[in-house]
Amino acid sequence: MYINTDIFKIETNHIVPARGKVLISEPFLCDHMFGRSVILLVDHTQDGTMGLVMNKPLPLFLNDLLSEIDCREDIPIYKGGPISTDTLFYLHTLENIADSLPIANGFYLNGDFAAIKQFMAEGNSIKGKIRFFLGYSGWESGQLKQEIEENTWLVDKADIPSLMDEKASKNLWKDALGKLGGKYEMWSRFPRIPTLN
């Protein structure tokens, strides 16, 4: 009986990483932080890469960190990565926030936090508009390229609505991998390998 073992061979999809694209971890990565993760690249240059893990919620809400935030809804915080875990980052779709870094068309990182607080204080819902993260993920020059060559990551274009949908974050990795089709879709159904952490 012939078994096609190529379906288990993990290989890159040869998309070049860039700001505004996502990294999708390979299904057998046994790492507490990066296993089954989707990372939005917020910067990618020859000096290094910065990204935010989009699907690792923390047992914290924004009101727990910042008591001055007056908001009617519980605002979850996600673990953006293992670097600078005492720093708050925020992704948003608000066009008129000064000093925001454009990530993709209509999609921004950080900016004037007073304007963000004002937006919430006015009673505006942030669902689908703002997400908060503690820490970020980073790679030194050449490090991400090497990890992609080692088939640790697949690269894809970012689907902004799904990245901003907190309800979808639970299945974000599975959905992102499945959208690539073929054997990637099959891998998305593999059971998770437990990590030690």
Side-chain angles (χ1 to χ4, degrees), residues 106-178:
F107 198 35
Y108 308 92
L109 175 71
N110 292 359
D112 180 9
F113 193 61
I116 296 284
K117 289 196 293 187
Q118 179 65 33
F119 179 83
M120 292 188 289
E122 290 170 356
N124 297 302
S125 173
I126 68 159
K127 297 227 182 285
K129 295 179 183 143
I130 309 172
R131 288 188 64 190
F132 294 91
F133 305 83
L134 279 176
Y136 70 94
S137 303
W139 292 262
E140 294 176 356
S141 177
Q143 185 182 3
L144 180 58
K145 181 177 187 287
Q146 180 181 340
E147 289 183 13
I148 290 171
E149 287 170 358
E150 292 168 352
N151 299 316
T152 302
W153 305 103
L154 296 164
V155 182
D156 198 18
K157 62 182 187 292
D159 177 2
I160 307 303
S162 70
L163 291 179
M164 293 304 286
D165 183 355
E166 289 175 358
K167 286 183 180 175
S169 70
K170 182 178 179 184
N171 293 315
L172 186 61
W173 176 85
K174 183 179 182 208
D175 293 344
L177 195 61

Side-chain angles (χ1 to χ4, degrees), residues 31-40 50-61 65 75-91 131-139 153 166 169 172 197:
D31 183 278
H32 181 67
M33 180 74 239
F34 296 116
R36 303 256 164 147
S37 64
V38 175
I39 300 176
L40 173 68
M50 176 186 177
L52 294 171
V53 178
M54 300 298 296
N55 59 329
K56 303 283 178 166
L58 288 167
L60 276 178
F61 293 101
L65 285 183
I75 302 167
I77 298 178
Y78 289 76
K79 186 170 186 176
I83 304 168
S84 295
T85 56
D86 58 349
T87 303
L88 187 68
F89 296 90
Y90 39 101
L91 289 170
R131 288 188 64 190
F132 294 91
F133 305 83
L134 279 176
Y136 70 94
S137 303
W139 292 262
W153 305 103
E166 289 175 358
S169 70
L172 186 61
N197 299 15

